[in-house]
């Protein structure tokens, strides 16, 4: 089972391409999205909150670059800013700032925990997990040849929740879709290279 089902792959395609369009237009990726979403207040609210908390527009720590993505899924709106460094072909995610609008909440701590889990799942899929086939058989059998994100590789995750009176949306899956495109967009900012396949591999 894939956490976030089709929303993960759709967000990866759409939000990566939006960043390419911003680059082609010579626009800041945040400003470009804001213009496109001028009539989408809930998208804008999470986008602005994530950007503000990530200090978008300021200089990140030395060697790091930021990427942003925003997506609606399962009735909820999530924006994420990933702070990434690249050393050779190694991609390291240091920080992910999330803004969530899932409508009315019963337990904000559960929303926060589910979003953090979604980021972990999305990062593991984006950076590590690959299944390959040979002569019709899956080649991976254990974590020895199917690595997942480790605790030591997990970045700092910050979750900011918007209080909302809208109808309740999901919390378990919407944190996943923006992760991969936010990382891809940060890698592009760092290297000028656009990655279009998961898991992300520089130098392939």
């Amino acid at each position: 089972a894939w956490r976030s089902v089709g929303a993960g792959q759709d967000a990866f395609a759409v939000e990566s391409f939006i960043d390419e369009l911003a680059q082609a237009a010579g626009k800041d990726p945040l400003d470009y999205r804001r213009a496109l979403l001028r009539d989408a207040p809930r998208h804008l609210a999470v986008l602005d909150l994530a950007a503000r908390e990530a200090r978008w527009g300021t200089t990140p720590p030395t060697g790091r670059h930021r990427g942003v993505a925003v997506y609606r899924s399962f009735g909820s709106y999530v924006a994420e800013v990933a702070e990434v460094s690249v050393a050779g072909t190694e991609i390291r995610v240091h920080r992910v700032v999330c803004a969530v609008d899932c409508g009315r909440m019963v337990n904000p701590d559960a929303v926060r925990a589910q979003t953090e889990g979604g980021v972990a799942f999305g990062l593991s899929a984006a950076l590590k997990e690959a299944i390959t086939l040979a002569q019709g058989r899956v080649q991976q059998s254990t974590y020895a040849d199917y690595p997942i994100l480790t605790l030591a590789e997990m970045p700092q995750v910050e979750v900011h929740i918007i209080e909302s009176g809208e109808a309740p949306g999901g919390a378990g899956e919407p944190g996943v879709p923006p992760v991969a495109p936010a990382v891809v967009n940060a890698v592009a900012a760092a290297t000028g290279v656009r990655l279009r396949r998961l898991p992300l591999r520089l130098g392939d």
Side-chain angles (χ1 to χ4, degrees), residues 15-199:
E15 280 297 290
S16 300
F17 187 54
I18 290 292
D19 233 61
E20 292 193 48
L21 294 176
Q23 182 181 28
K27 303 289 186 182
D28 176 85
L30 175 65
D31 294 339
Y32 191 82
R33 283 175 174 81
R34 295 193 82 260
L36 292 174
L37 296 169
R38 59 185 175 272
D39 297 322
R42 295 180 75 183
H43 282 90
L44 270 179
V46 291
L47 187 62
D48 286 345
L49 178 56
R52 182 168 66 251
E53 295 297 334
R55 303 188 67 213
W56 188 275
T58 66
T59 302
T62 302
R64 298 187 189 181
H65 298 265
R66 296 185 183 118
V68 63
V70 59
Y71 203 73
R72 177 192 180 277
S73 61
F74 305 95
S76 297
Y77 300 75
V78 179
E80 294 176 0
V81 176
E83 198 168 273
V84 172
S85 66
V86 177
T89 59
E90 181 185 357
I91 300 167
R92 182 68 189 261
V93 182
H94 300 273
R95 181 183 182 216
V96 178
V97 179
C98 313
V100 181
D101 174 1
C102 61
R104 291 190 300 275
M105 292 173 291
V106 174
N107 185 347
D109 284 341
V111 173
R112 182 170 288 104
Q114 288 293 330
T115 304
E116 291 168 347
V119 169
F121 180 95
L123 280 178
S124 189
L127 297 175
K128 296 278 187 175
E129 299 174 30
I131 291 177
T132 55
L133 301 173
Q135 298 180 342
R137 295 175 64 91
V138 173
Q139 295 180 287
Q140 291 72 30
S141 58
T142 71
Y143 289 127
D145 50 18
Y146 183 78
I148 62 172
L149 197 74
T150 66
L151 184 60
E153 294 168 313
M154 186 67 189
Q156 174 186 349
V157 180
E158 302 170 25
V159 180
H160 304 275
I161 303 170
I162 291 179
E163 295 283 347
S164 173
E166 298 287 345
E173 300 186 88
V176 175
V179 177
V183 172
V184 164
N185 296 337
V187 170
T191 65
V193 175
R194 287 283 173 187
L195 300 175
R196 296 186 174 89
R197 297 181 64 184
L198 297 175

